[in-house]
Amino acid sequence: QAQLVESGGGSVKPGGSLTLSCVASEYTFNGNTMGWFRQGPGKEREGVAGIFTGGVATFHDDSVKGRFTISQDKDKKTVYLQMNSLEPEDTAMYYCALRRGWSFGEFLRNSASKDWGQGTQVTVSS
């Protein structure tokens, strides 16, 4: 079964940066919507950013616009989330997700079928 492999989480101080990676090596890369969700302590899972693999469209939640940037490397079948100016409120488990087809609406819908990575913890604390 194909898997999404995440890396890059860790602990940083407020204002710091991290880059998350998600490798989809066993998938047909192009033609999917991939991105990141997060779930903080006591909070529901929320969509953070998405990208059309093989395309150019991206989505960033208002809470991260101007601070986080999603990108892709098609040759490496990898999606990245560059996170700058991190805040304590960004502390969460971050999950990579993949849904076949290009649709941010469907990608973000909680009940929509998606493949998930195992999650990587991001902690922002002074």
Side-chain angles (χ1 to χ4, degrees), residues 41-110:
K43 297 181 181 179
E44 294 186 355
R45 189 174 295 191
E46 61 178 356
V48 175
I51 191 166
F52 290 166
T53 58
V56 296
T58 61
F59 158 82
H60 297 83
D61 185 74
D62 286 346
S63 63
V64 304
K65 276 182 182 176
R67 301 188 299 121
F68 293 9
T69 303
I70 192 168
S71 62
Q72 64 184 306
D73 185 326
K74 301 168 193 176
D75 292 335
K76 295 182 178 179
K77 293 188 172 183
T78 301
V79 170
Y80 303 96
L81 186 67
Q82 175 66 44
M83 304 186 294
N84 298 326
S85 302
L86 282 161
E87 303 169 351
E89 292 73 23
D90 297 316
T91 295
M93 185 70 79
Y94 283 71
Y95 296 92
C96 178
L98 180 150
R99 177 172 170 81
R100 289 161 182 80
W102 285 357
S103 172
F104 290 132
E106 284 298 301
F107 180 73
L108 293 171
R109 193 161 61 88
N110 286 335

Side-chain angles (χ1 to χ4, degrees), residues 4 6 11 21 26 36 44 53 64 66 81 94 102 108 120 123:
L4 301 173
E6 302 154 346
S11 295
S21 301
E26 299 173 351
W36 300 87
E44 294 186 355
T53 58
V64 304
L81 186 67
Y94 283 71
W102 285 357
L108 293 171
T120 185
T123 302

